[in-house]
């Protein structure tokens, strides 16, 4: 899970290159949330953490939403020409940027500024945008408009951007509002435009130069041929006393933990003590019989349909800075009386599955989960600084603490008090993870058969093969097979990748929420493994038939595509036309350019989503959105103008037996306010008659009525939880001038 922003158009994870859209209306935040690979990378986001529109990409990320700092290494040139000498400037409006430039600007709602950065040779570029009163997305493009990096981290404070540009040219830096309905002030600082270092270590030092001894940072490791050829720390493990980060600094690695849980199950399977195709209720009898067989393999590949524990925790009124125990989560998950989908039908990242798997390991082995991993994995591999951290009060020597950017500047603690495991809570180091990654090459622990079992990718009942295997994603990067996973909890960010065909790996562990471990790790790989990697490809997920740049749609054919569209579960988005382009935006989300592949089909390549507008004689009334193999159908609806009377008719107290939680829905003009125990009030905006959109953990709310038209129940969905039902209990007064009576 995690605390980074997550957005989605379909139901997926977290910290990734495409955590913007996902088919399962999540909020992060996250994210997600694009394809399974990215989901795995980012994994987690409850997201108040990891990884929208298809309930994944057009909705806000839940607490696991992760920052998307994309620091890219662009194709290298053999020659290095000198940088142009540029004076320091301070501009009052968008202009050509130079080294040391500072620009103060105010963005109107939905607006964007573009700056030009001329380079006469290769350059290391570093800057930041101070988000004083507006949340922005920073995009860096080359002269052709191709996106080289997109940076979207914290909503306030510095939005950092860092790139190695190895080609002369006129680059563009765009600063745009994250949401079309909000604007505000920002200051852009272009801190560095330097010659790139000529050696790999120097280049990584440049990329990490923003993380100095005054703040949190990261530890980075590079593995080649079984040896840790680079291991270095940047920044501080704790801001409360001198403690530089190093290769043996202990980090909470969030969802990187899942591969160890999966490996524990695999070891038991290899010994014949269980089968991956066993019904989970064989070992977890507390789970209710929901009429469908859920296997251990379903849990391992995130195809079980079991609702995610972090979104359930948030919906139940829990806070992510609470002490959250294994028993808390187990009781919550086993109270559920419905699934998100039939087991095997879809892929949707679920931390609950891995929590349950840790219980299976305990019950089958007869050992506590931490003890099993210590004896069977950590000790044999020599992982001396690694443990499963299930006691939030346990003292861990040499550990890092977690931080996030404070709105007023500087940092603040990002509290993490987990006392649970399986999905998260592994404490480890760069040095120890290098030993683990090398086991993917040697099979020294568990054997080659266990390794191969772990790398077997999941398959949906439709026959589609997932990128996600057992606790890891398996795909290719720049021509090389890659085994990877990311993690995000509170201010901790992590990513590991191993390239088995060249016996090489990269490890990035960070302790600040605005850090993008995936982007940094891939840059590190590009630098240290450039002799064995294939050509650089632009960021994003490939979508078939994306040659939209050459397609021109007649204005008369564009007009019918504009409007509002909604799915039966309450997810919705609106399309608008600007000149010859169409943009789509869901409530509380940034908007996305739809790239045409015909006059009726469009893609969003960054997140691997495809949209089909169904044209009929009377016009366009239907849109099909496909992502990660899942398709959601949305119908055109007439714009809805809510009234205070509409809201008052819904106001009341609603209770969910599955969550053992009550919501007070209070009318506040033409919006609803949700009051929950132990949490601040949350405002819901109407997106249609009886449908509302909010922020984590309530992505959407849908009202049900009896035959007399009285509101009797509501169904609430989050990024990885669908349709939790709350029954109406009684009525409560409306808000008077925004204040409860």
């Amino acid at each position: 899970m995690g605390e980074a922003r997550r957005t989605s158009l379909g139901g997926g994870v977290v910290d990734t290159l495409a955590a913007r859209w996902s088919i399962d209306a999540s909020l992060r935040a996250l994210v997600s949330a694009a394809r399974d690979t990215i989901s795995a990378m980012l994994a987690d986001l409850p997201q108040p953490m990891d990884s929208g529109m298809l309930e994944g990409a057009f909705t806000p990320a839940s607490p696991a939403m992760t920052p998307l700092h994309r620091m890219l290494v662009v194709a290298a040139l053999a020659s290095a020409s000198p940088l142009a000498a540029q004076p320091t400037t301070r501009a009052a409006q968008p202009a050509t940027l130079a080294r040391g430039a500072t620009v103060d600007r105010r963005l109107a709602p939905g607006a964007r500024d573009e700056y030009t950065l001329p380079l006469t040779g290769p350059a290391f570029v570093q800057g930041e945008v101070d988000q004083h009163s507006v949340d922005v997305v920073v995009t860096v493009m080359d002269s052709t408009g191709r996106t080289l990096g997109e940076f979207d981290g914290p909503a306030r404070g510095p939005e950092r951007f860092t790139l190695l540009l190895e080609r002369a040219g006129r680059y563009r830096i765009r600063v745009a509002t994250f949401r079309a309905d909000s604007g505000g002030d920002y200051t852009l600082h272009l801190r560095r435009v330097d010659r790139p270092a000529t050696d790999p270590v120097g280049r990584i030092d440049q990329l990490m130069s923003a993380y100095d001894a005054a703040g949190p940072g990261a530890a980075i490791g590079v593995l080649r041929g079984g040896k840790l050829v680079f291991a270095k720390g940047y920044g501080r493990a704790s801001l409360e006393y001198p403690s530089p980060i190093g290769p043996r600094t202990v980090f909470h690695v969030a969802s990187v933990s899942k591969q160890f849980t999966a490996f524990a199950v695999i070891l038991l399977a290899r010994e014949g003590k269980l089968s991956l195709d066993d019904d989970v209720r064989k070992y977890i009898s507390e789970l209710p019989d929901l009429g469908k067989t859920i296997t251990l393999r379903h849990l391992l590949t995130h195809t079980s349909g079991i609702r995610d524990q972090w979104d359930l925790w948030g919906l139940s009124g829990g806070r992510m800075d609470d002490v959250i125990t294994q028993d808390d989560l187990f009781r919550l998950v086993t109270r559920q009386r419905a699934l998100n989908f039939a087991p095997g039908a879809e892929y949707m990242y679920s931390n609950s599955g891995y929590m349950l798997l840790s219980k299976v390991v305990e019950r089958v082995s007869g050992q506590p989960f931490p003890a099993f991993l210590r004896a069977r994995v950590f000790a044999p591999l020599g992982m001396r600084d690694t443990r499963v951290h299930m006691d939030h009060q346990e003292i861990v020597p040499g550990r890092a603490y977690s931080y996030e950017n404070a709105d007023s500047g500087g940092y603040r603690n990002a509290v993490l008090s987990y006392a649970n495991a399986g999905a998260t809570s592994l404490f480890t180091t760069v040095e120890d993870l290098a030993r683990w990654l090398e086991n993917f090459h040697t099979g020294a622990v568990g054997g080659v058969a266990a390794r191969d079992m772990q790398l077997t990718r999941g398959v949906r009942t439709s026959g589609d093969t997932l990128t996600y295997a057992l606790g890891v994603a398996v795909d290719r990067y720049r021509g090389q097979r890659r085994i990877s996973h990311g993690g995000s909890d509170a201010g901790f960010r992590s990513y590991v990748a191993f390239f088995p065909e060249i016996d090489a790996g990269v490890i990035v562990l960070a302790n600040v929420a605005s850090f993008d471990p995936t982007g940094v790790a891939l840059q590190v790989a590009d630098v240290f493994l450039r002799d064995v990697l294939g050509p650089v490809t632009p960021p994003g997920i490939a979508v078939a038939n994306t040659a939209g740049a050459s397609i021109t749609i007649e204005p008369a054919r564009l007009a019918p595509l504009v409007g509002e569209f909604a799915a039966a579960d309450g997810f919705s988005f609106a399309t608008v036309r600007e000149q010859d382009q169409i943009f789509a935006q869901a409530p509380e989300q940034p908007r996305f350019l739809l790239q045409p592949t015909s006059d009726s089909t469009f893609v969003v390549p960054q997140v691997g989503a495809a949209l089909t507008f169904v044209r009929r004689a009377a016009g366009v009334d239907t849109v099909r959105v496909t992502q990660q193999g899942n398709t959601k159908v949305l119908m055109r609806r007439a714009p809805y103008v809510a009234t205070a009377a509409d809201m008052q008719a819904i106001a009341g107290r609603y209770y969910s037996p599955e969550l053992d939680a009550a919501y007070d829905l209070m009318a506040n003009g033409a919006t609803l306010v949700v009051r929950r125990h132990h949490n601040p009030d949350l405002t819901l905006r109407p997106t249609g008659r009886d449908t509302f959109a909010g922020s984590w953990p309530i992505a959407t709310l849908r009202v049900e009525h009896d035959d007399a038209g009285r509101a009797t129940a509501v169904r609430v969905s989050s990024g990885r939880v669908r349709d939790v039902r709350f029954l109406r209990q009684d009525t409560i007064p409306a808000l008077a001038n925004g204040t409860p009576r």
Side-chain angles (χ1 to χ4, degrees):
M1 87 114 219
E3 302 287 339
R5 169 166 51 212
R6 190 179 75 190
T7 53
S8 46
L9 207 163
V13 102
V14 57
D15 199 0
T16 91
L17 295 178
R20 283 303 191 95
W21 281 31
S22 90
I23 272 184
D24 295 300
S26 87
L27 10 163
R28 189 86 186 155
L30 133 100
V31 333
S32 22
R35 161 194 285 195
D36 357 311
T37 297
I38 304 272
S39 293
M41 291 180 179
L42 285 294
D44 278 299
L45 277 272
Q47 308 115 244
M49 127 231 203
D50 300 264
S51 174
M53 180 166 171
L54 283 182
E55 290 180 354
F58 256 100
T59 52
S62 39
M65 306 175 183
T66 62
L68 301 178
H69 287 279
R70 323 234 168 105
M71 309 190 241
L72 287 252
V73 177
V74 186
L77 293 179
S79 62
S81 22
L83 296 173
Q86 303 276 10
T88 298
T89 63
R90 185 174 184 86
Q93 59 185 12
T96 298
L97 295 177
R99 180 192 300 118
T102 296
V103 181
D104 294 320
R105 287 284 292 166
R106 166 163 289 188
L107 280 174
R112 63 189 188 187
D113 290 338
E114 283 199 6
Y115 304 87
T116 299
L117 176 63
L119 298 178
T120 59
F124 164 71
V125 176
Q126 183 187 88
E128 64 188 41
V129 175
D130 286 334
Q131 303 168 112
H132 303 305
S133 58
V134 62
D135 185 5
V136 304
V137 178
V138 179
T139 306
V140 180
M141 299 163 286
D142 64 15
S143 59
T144 68
R146 181 170 67 100
T147 297
L148 305 178
E150 185 174 78
F151 306 87
D152 178 19
R156 291 291 183 271
E159 188 74 78
R160 292 191 176 98
F161 56 94
T162 306
L163 299 99
L164 289 173
L165 302 171
E166 302 199 32
R167 191 182 300 277
R170 293 182 65 83
Y171 294 87
R172 292 153 55 195
I173 298 176
R174 175 185 296 161
V175 180
T177 58
F178 177 74
R179 288 174 46 178
D181 60 352
S182 65
D185 298 326
Y186 73 85
T187 301
L188 184 151
H189 305 278
L190 189 61
R191 302 291 190 191
R192 300 180 62 178
V193 182
D194 301 337
R195 294 179 185 277
T198 57
D199 65 291
V201 173
R203 289 206 164 191
I204 303 310
D205 286 347
Q206 282 185 322
L207 287 171
M208 295 297 296
S209 59
Y211 299 93
D212 55 26
I220 297 176
V222 178
L223 180 70
R224 285 199 78 166
K227 296 181 179 180
L228 199 56
V229 298
F230 177 82
K232 190 172 181 179
Y234 302 85
R236 291 166 60 180
S238 170
L239 301 189
E240 296 174 346
Y241 56 89
S243 53
I245 291 173
R248 288 192 63 187
T249 298
V250 178
F251 287 83
H252 169 105
V253 297
S255 285
V256 169
S257 309
K258 289 182 172 67
Q259 55 201 281
F260 292 89
T261 304
F263 194 65
V265 175
I266 290 166
L267 291 177
L268 294 172
R270 294 291 302 159
E271 294 167 358
K273 296 180 179 178
L274 56 77
S275 167
L276 301 189
D277 296 312
D278 284 341
D279 187 335
V280 64
R281 297 186 70 250
K282 179 178 179 180
Y283 309 103
I284 310 290
S285 59
E286 296 92 333
L287 279 172
D289 183 355
L290 300 177
K292 304 284 186 179
T293 298
I294 301 171
T295 67
L296 301 183
R297 192 183 303 276
H298 287 141
L299 300 181
L300 288 161
T301 57
H302 298 297
T303 55
S304 69
I306 291 178
R307 292 165 170 168
D308 183 77
Q309 63 190 28
W310 301 126
D311 283 356
L312 288 173
W313 181 258
L315 289 170
S316 71
R319 292 168 53 106
M320 298 314 299
D321 56 2
D322 289 339
V323 175
I324 308 174
T325 70
Q326 192 85 331
D327 286 344
D328 291 334
L329 297 175
F330 186 74
R331 285 192 292 266
L332 184 57
V333 170
T334 54
R335 287 178 68 96
Q336 302 307 299
R337 295 298 182 265
L339 298 172
N340 286 329
F341 50 81
E346 299 181 34
Y347 169 93
M348 182 186 285
Y349 200 87
S350 175
N351 290 283
S352 305
Y354 275 78
M355 179 274 293
L356 293 172
L357 287 167
S358 71
K359 287 279 192 182
V360 172
V361 171
E362 291 186 331
R363 294 181 179 185
V364 173
S365 70
Q367 291 180 274
F369 182 64
F372 181 90
L373 280 178
R374 183 171 59 250
R376 300 295 303 276
V377 181
F378 305 153
L381 286 176
M383 299 173 69
R384 57 185 176 177
D385 296 320
T386 300
R387 68 185 74 194
V388 176
H389 188 70
M390 289 189 68
D391 179 359
H392 69 287
Q393 295 179 308
E394 180 184 12
I395 294 173
V396 181
R399 66 165 293 182
Y401 289 86
S402 119
Y403 300 94
E404 61 189 5
N405 294 99
D407 291 350
S408 59
Y411 301 97
R412 65 182 182 183
N413 288 315
V415 177
L416 185 70
S417 299
Y418 284 180
N420 59 80
T424 183
S425 296
L426 186 76
F427 274 36
T428 189
T429 69
V430 161
E431 290 186 356
D432 279 1
L433 284 173
R435 297 180 177 97
W436 165 254
L437 291 182
E438 185 60 14
N439 198 58
F440 283 116
H441 177 68
T442 65
V445 173
V448 172
R451 177 198 66 190
D452 292 346
M453 183 181 291
Q454 181 151 26
L455 302 183
T456 301
R457 300 187 341 186
V459 179
R460 300 194 308 169
T461 50
S462 64
D464 294 337
T465 299
L466 306 173
T467 300
Y468 206 88
L470 308 188
V472 292
V474 180
D475 62 359
R476 303 195 79 82
Y477 175 71
R478 293 185 59 182
Q480 295 291 344
R481 192 182 191 207
R482 173 176 57 176
I483 304 163
S484 65
H485 210 293
S488 172
D489 279 333
F492 290 111
R493 299 291 180 266
S494 55
Y495 179 81
V496 298
F498 186 71
F499 304 94
E501 294 165 340
I502 56 175
D503 189 13
V506 177
I507 303 152
V508 175
L509 309 178
N511 67 332
V512 59
S514 57
F515 196 91
D516 172 23
T518 303
V520 171
L522 297 183
Q523 291 180 86
V524 171
D526 291 343
V527 169
F528 273 93
L529 308 178
R530 64 186 305 168
D531 58 316
V532 289
L533 294 178
V536 174
T537 55
I541 300 171
V543 178
N545 302 318
T546 58
S550 61
I551 294 177
T552 300
I553 303 177
E554 294 295 325
R557 301 286 285 174
L558 279 176
L561 308 183
V562 175
E564 295 185 12
F565 299 86
D569 63 0
F571 170 70
S572 65
F573 66 87
T575 53
V576 297
R577 173 186 169 190
E578 291 187 6
Q579 297 179 342
D580 60 349
Q581 294 180 317
I582 293 290
F583 294 84
Q585 183 174 30
E588 306 296 328
Q589 292 300 301
R591 68 179 189 171
F592 296 90
L593 171 66
L594 305 185
Q595 299 185 19
T597 56
S598 73
D599 70 354
S600 301
T601 57
F602 298 78
V603 296
V604 182
Q606 303 96 312
V607 297
L611 291 80
T612 300
F613 291 81
V614 179
R615 295 183 185 271
R616 309 184 196 280
V620 174
D621 62 358
T622 305
V623 181
R624 292 194 297 270
V625 183
T626 301
Q627 186 183 36
Q628 298 179 195
N630 301 323
T631 298
K632 183 176 286 271
V633 177
L634 295 90
M635 305 299 294
R636 182 184 292 275
R637 70 178 180 203
Y640 170 67
V641 179
T643 67
D646 293 337
M647 301 302 101
Q648 187 58 50
I650 299 169
R653 172 161 291 178
Y654 295 78
Y655 174 76
S656 166
E658 292 178 287
L659 300 175
D660 190 20
Y663 289 178
D664 289 337
L665 301 188
M666 299 177 288
N668 186 20
T671 65
L672 284 179
V673 173
V674 183
R675 177 150 296 169
R676 301 170 294 146
H677 173 67
H678 197 44
N679 282 273
D681 291 348
L682 189 154
T683 298
L684 300 179
R685 297 188 307 102
T687 57
R689 185 169 296 279
D690 297 327
T691 60
F692 297 81
S695 57
W696 194 86
I698 303 176
T700 62
L701 181 146
R702 181 161 45 92
V703 182
E704 295 181 347
H705 299 270
D706 60 17
D707 292 341
R710 179 176 180 270
T712 56
V714 297
R715 289 188 180 271
V716 176
S717 296
S718 192
R720 298 167 182 167
V721 169
R722 297 176 182 170
D723 286 340
V724 177
R725 197 163 188 254
F726 288 71
L727 302 175
R728 187 168 188 161
Q729 303 296 297
D730 54 26
T731 60
I732 58 174
L735 292 180
N737 299 320
T739 303
R741 292 174 180 169

